[in-house]
C-alpha cells in the first residue's frame, strides 16, 4: 500500500489523499507519518490560520506513543517556521486539546495520536479555533498546500519566527473542566470505580477526576512506556477490566482508548454494556430534565434498531448518519441537536463539549446512576438489542453498489425476507479494502446465513 512506502513518487504526493476518517494516520516514520510530512502539515495549518497581525497560537498535544516525540517536534517546527507560536501540553486526551483550544482562545489545536491503533502507528488531527474538527474542505486545502509547494518560500525571519513553550498546567485545567460537567449537587463518595486508561493519554487525568469527585478508584493501564498503549488493555480489551470490577466489587468499570475520546463500560456484574444502551440511558435522563434538544438522538447506521425502540418510549426519534463521530457532530451542529454517539463508545454531549470524550461520558452516566440510586445493570435493561451479524469481505476494487446488479439483487432478496423486523446495511470500510455487511433481525442464525449470501455476491462481483 502506498502509505508504507518510505518516499512516495512525486505524482503520488500530488494525488494521494492524506486525511482519512480521523486525520492523517499510518505507521510511524513511514509515509505519510514521517517527520517531513508532519513539518509540512504544520506549515500548511499555520498558513491557513493567519488572519491578522497578532501573534497566532496552536495547542499541540499527544498520547504516550514513542514516536510522539519525533512528530511533536516536527509538527511544532513547521508551525514555528511560519511564524506561529506553539504551546506543547504533552500527553493529554484528544478532547482535552479541543477544550484547551477554545478556552485559551488559540487559533487551532493539534493532536498526535493514532487512537486505538497499536503503538507502531501514529496520526495527526487538527481542531479549529472553535474546538471542532476541520471540515473536509479545509483538510483538502491543507493537502493541496502540502503537495503543491505553494508556501515553500514563505519564511518569516527575526522576531516574526514563532516560538514553543511548555504549558505546564494543561492537565490541571482539563481536570477542572471535566469536574465542572458533573452536577454540583452530586458526589461519587461511596462508589468504587475501576478505570482502565489503556496506558494512553488519560493515564493521569481520568483517575484524578474520579478521585477528586469522591470515588475510590482502581486504576489500570496507567504505566505507559511508549510501547504498551492499547496492548491487551483499554477499550479494545475490556476483559481485564471486567475481572477487576468483580474482584473489587466495583460499581462501574470504565475502559478508555489510547486518546480517550471514547469509552467501553462494564456494569457491576462484570458485563460489557453496549454503547447503544449508554446512549439510551443518557437520552432518557436528558428528556426527563428537558435538556434533549428537539427530542432527537443522533446515531450512526451501525446502531442497533433496539436503540430506536428504547428511546421511542419518550417520543424521541433517532437521526442516523454515516459511520464516524465527525459525521455525528456535523448532523448535531447542522440541526441543533444536543446528544449523539456511536455504538463503539464515542458519545458527544454538545452542551458540554465539541467532540467525543470518554471521561466526560463516564461522568454523565455516573450522574444518572447517582440520581436514581440504581446499578448500571438495571438502568441498561431499557435497551434490548436485536441480534446483529457483521461480516467483512476483502475486495480488490470498489464500485457503487448500484452498479452491481447481482449484489443489489442479493440485498433486496434479504430485505424481503427480513421484512419490517430487520435491517440490511452494506458499506465499504473507510480505512481498509473491505466491504462490511450488517444484518439485523430477530433470528441470529438466519442473520448469519443472509449475511453470507450478500458476502458471496460481493466477492464474485468485485473479486472475479
Amino acid at each position: 500500500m502506498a502509505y508504507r512506502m518510505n518516499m512516495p513518487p512525486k505524482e503520488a504526493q500530488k494525488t494521494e489523499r492524506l486525511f482519512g476518517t480521523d486525520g492523517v494516520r499510518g505507521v510511524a516514520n513511514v509515509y505519510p507519518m514521517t517527520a517531513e510530512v508532519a513539518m509540512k502539515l504544520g506549515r500548511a495549518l499555520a498558513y491557513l490560520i493567519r488572519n491578522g497581525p497578532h501573534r497566532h497560537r496552536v495547542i499541540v498535544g499527544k498520547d504516550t506513543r514513542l514516536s510522539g516525540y519525533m512528530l511533536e517536534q516536527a509538527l511544532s517546527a513547521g508551525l514555528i517556521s511560519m511564524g506561529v507560536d506553539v504551546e506543547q501540553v504533552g500527553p493529554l486526551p484528544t478532547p482535552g486539546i479541543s477544550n484547551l483550544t477554545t478556552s485559551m482562545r488559540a487559533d487551532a489545536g493539534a493532536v498526535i495520536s493514532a487512537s486505538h491503533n497499536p503503538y507502531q502507528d501514529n496520526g495527526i488531527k487538527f481542531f479549529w479555533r472553535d474546538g471542532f474538527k476541520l471540515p473536509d474542505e479545509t483538510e483538502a486545502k491543507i493537502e493541496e498546500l502540502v503537495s503543491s509547494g505553494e508556501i515553500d518560500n514563505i519564511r518569516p525571519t527575526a522576531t516574526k519566527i514563532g516560538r514553543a513553550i511548555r504549558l505546564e498546567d494543561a492537565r490541571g485545567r482539563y481536570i477542572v473542566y471535566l469536574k465542572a460537567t458533573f452536577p454540583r449537587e452530586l458526589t461519587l463518595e461511596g462508589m468504587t470505580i475501576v478505570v482502565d486508561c489503556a496506558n494512553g493519554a488519560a493515564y493521569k487525568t481520568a483517575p484524578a477526576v474520579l478521585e477528586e469527585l469522591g470515588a475510590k478508584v482502581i486504576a489500570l493501564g496507567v504505566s505507559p512506556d511508549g510501547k504498551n498503549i492499547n496492548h491487551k488493555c483499554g477499550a479494545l480489551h475490556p476483559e481485564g477490566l471486567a475481572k477487576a470490577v468483580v474482584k473489587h466489587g466495583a460499581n462501574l468499570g470504565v475502559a478508555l482508548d489510547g486518546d480517550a475520546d471514547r469509552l467501553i463500560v462494564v456494569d457491576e456484574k462484570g458485563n460489557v454494556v453496549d454503547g447503544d444502551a449508554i446512549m439510551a440511558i443518557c437520552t432518557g435522563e436528558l428528556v426527563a430534565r428537558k435538556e434533549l434538544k428537539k427530542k432527537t438522538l443522533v446515531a450512526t447506521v451501525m446502531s442497533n434498531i433496539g436503540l430506536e425502540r428504547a428511546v421511542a418510549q419518550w417520543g424521541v426519534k433517532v437521526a442516523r448518519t454515516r459511520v464516524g463521530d465527525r459525521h455525528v457532530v456535523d448532523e448535531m451542529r447542522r440541526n441543533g441537536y444536543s446528544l449523539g454517539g456511536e455504538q463503539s463508545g464515542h458519545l458527544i454531549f454538545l452542551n458540554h463539549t465539541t467532540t467525543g470524550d470518554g471521561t466526560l461520558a463516564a461522568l454523565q452516566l455516573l450522574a444518572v446512576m447517582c440520581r436514581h440510586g440504581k446499578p448500571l445493570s438495571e438502568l441498561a435493561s431499557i435497551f434490548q438489542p436485536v441480534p446483529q451479524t457483521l461480516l467483512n469481505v476483502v475486495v480488490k476494487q470498489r464500485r457503487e453498489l448500484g452498479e452491481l446488479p447481482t449484489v443489489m439483487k442479493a440485498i433486496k432478496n434479504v430485505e424481503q425476507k427480513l421484512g419490517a423486523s430487520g435491517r440490511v446495511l452494506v458499506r465499504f470500510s473507510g480505512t481498509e479494502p473491505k466491504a462490511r455487511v450488517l444484518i439485523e433481525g430477530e433470528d441470529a442464525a438466519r442473520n448469519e446465513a443472509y449475511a453470507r449470501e450478500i458476502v458471496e455476491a460481493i466477492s464474485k462481483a468485485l473479486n472475479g
Side-chain angles (χ1 to χ4, degrees):
M1 295 177 66
Y3 75 84
R4 290 186 177 274
M5 298 170 61
N6 283 321
M7 282 300 292
K10 290 185 178 180
E11 58 268 25
Q13 293 184 44
K14 292 181 180 179
T15 59
E16 186 177 7
R17 183 162 168 77
L18 290 173
F19 287 89
T21 55
D22 194 22
V24 185
R25 192 175 297 186
V27 178
N29 222 22
V30 177
Y31 182 87
M33 288 315 304
T34 62
E36 293 84 355
V37 173
M39 182 177 289
K40 290 182 178 181
L41 288 169
R43 288 178 56 79
L45 177 67
Y47 179 78
L48 291 181
I49 65 174
R50 299 190 307 179
N51 61 351
H54 65 281
R55 293 192 73 88
H56 296 78
R57 295 180 299 138
V58 174
I59 309 294
V60 176
K62 61 182 180 179
D63 62 24
T64 57
R65 295 163 207 270
L66 185 63
S67 57
Y69 295 99
M70 171 186 74
L71 296 171
E72 176 187 45
Q73 299 307 316
L75 179 67
S76 297
L79 291 162
I80 292 167
S81 73
M82 290 290 281
V84 170
D85 293 338
V86 172
E87 300 200 24
Q88 298 176 343
V89 304
L92 197 72
T94 287
I97 304 304
S98 170
N99 173 258
L100 286 173
T101 298
T102 55
S103 68
M104 296 185 65
R105 310 303 193 267
D107 295 278
V111 181
I112 300 165
S113 172
S115 187
H116 58 273
N117 287 30
Y119 88 95
Q120 296 94 330
D121 294 350
N122 217 326
I124 295 175
K125 50 189 169 185
F126 298 126
F127 289 101
W128 205 237
R129 54 179 59 89
D130 59 5
F132 290 98
K133 293 178 181 178
L134 302 187
D136 291 342
E137 55 268 25
T138 304
E139 290 183 345
K141 181 59 179 177
I142 288 176
E143 290 175 342
E144 180 185 334
L145 292 172
V146 167
S147 60
S148 67
E150 176 185 340
I151 59 175
D152 285 358
N153 293 324
I154 300 178
R155 304 283 177 177
T157 58
T159 59
K160 292 185 178 181
I161 295 174
R163 64 177 182 174
I165 64 170
R166 178 68 63 173
L167 188 61
E168 299 293 347
D169 62 344
R171 186 183 302 123
R173 293 182 185 218
Y174 179 53
I175 289 172
V176 169
Y177 153 74
L178 285 173
K179 290 193 298 179
T181 69
F182 191 73
R184 186 174 293 275
E185 71 275 14
L186 300 179
T187 176
L188 296 179
E189 288 181 10
M191 297 190 76
T192 299
I193 301 170
V194 182
V195 56
D196 185 343
C197 300
N199 292 310
Y203 77 104
K204 287 191 176 180
T205 57
V209 168
L210 297 171
E211 286 179 346
E212 291 181 21
L213 287 172
K216 174 184 177 182
V217 176
I218 310 299
L220 309 176
V222 290
S223 301
D225 61 9
K227 299 179 292 183
N228 59 2
I229 187 171
N230 299 315
H231 182 63
K232 296 181 179 180
C233 60
L236 291 182
H237 304 280
E239 304 85 12
L241 173 70
K243 291 179 180 178
V245 166
V246 174
K247 176 182 176 182
H248 295 280
N251 301 92
L252 182 71
V254 177
L256 305 171
D257 64 343
D259 68 337
D261 66 349
R262 70 182 181 99
L263 82 167
I264 296 295
V265 176
V266 171
D267 68 19
E268 77 284 356
K269 298 178 181 179
N271 298 317
V272 174
V273 179
D274 194 288
D276 283 341
I278 304 303
M279 282 193 279
I281 293 169
C282 293
T283 297
E285 184 68 11
L286 290 179
V287 169
R289 303 184 70 80
K290 295 181 172 56
E291 295 175 1
L292 186 70
K293 294 181 180 177
K294 300 184 178 180
K295 295 198 81 172
T296 300
L297 168 68
V298 182
T300 74
V301 292
M302 295 301 290
S303 276
N304 195 285
I305 196 172
L307 177 60
E308 295 180 348
R309 295 176 180 176
V311 301
Q313 63 182 297
W314 304 302
V316 173
K317 64 180 181 180
V318 176
R320 291 184 181 265
T321 73
R322 292 162 54 194
V323 174
D325 64 308
R326 67 183 299 163
H327 300 302
V328 173
V329 173
D330 287 346
E331 178 71 10
M332 294 172 70
R333 296 180 70 191
R334 187 163 45 245
N335 293 293
Y337 302 139
S338 54
L339 178 63
E342 292 191 280
Q343 189 182 43
S344 60
H346 284 107
L347 275 71
I348 300 99
F349 294 82
L350 212 51
N351 288 341
H352 294 299
T353 184
T354 57
T355 190
D357 188 325
T359 308
L360 187 149
L363 292 176
Q364 306 315 300
L365 178 61
L366 282 162
V368 180
M369 293 172 63
C370 290
R371 281 190 174 123
H372 295 272
K374 294 180 179 179
L376 180 56
S377 61
E378 183 178 343
L379 292 172
S381 65
I382 63 170
F383 170 73
Q384 297 298 324
V386 173
Q388 283 185 337
T389 294
L390 176 63
L391 297 182
N392 298 318
V393 54
V394 177
V395 294
K396 295 180 180 178
Q397 57 178 316
R398 296 189 187 195
R399 291 171 59 187
E400 292 292 331
L401 292 175
E403 299 174 0
L404 307 172
T406 56
V407 174
M408 293 305 298
K409 181 179 179 181
I411 292 173
K412 290 178 180 178
N413 180 48
V414 170
E415 287 177 335
Q416 289 177 351
K417 292 177 181 177
L418 286 170
S421 63
R423 192 166 62 102
V424 178
L425 174 66
V426 180
R427 68 181 186 91
F428 290 104
S429 167
T431 57
E432 300 175 282
K434 293 180 179 179
R436 307 195 192 280
V437 179
L438 173 71
I439 304 294
E440 203 169 76
E442 301 294 344
D443 191 313
R446 288 184 180 179
N447 291 348
E448 180 84 15
Y450 294 156
R452 294 198 179 281
E453 286 181 27
I454 298 175
V455 163
E456 184 177 348
I458 292 173
S459 185
K460 286 182 179 178
L462 296 179
N463 296 332

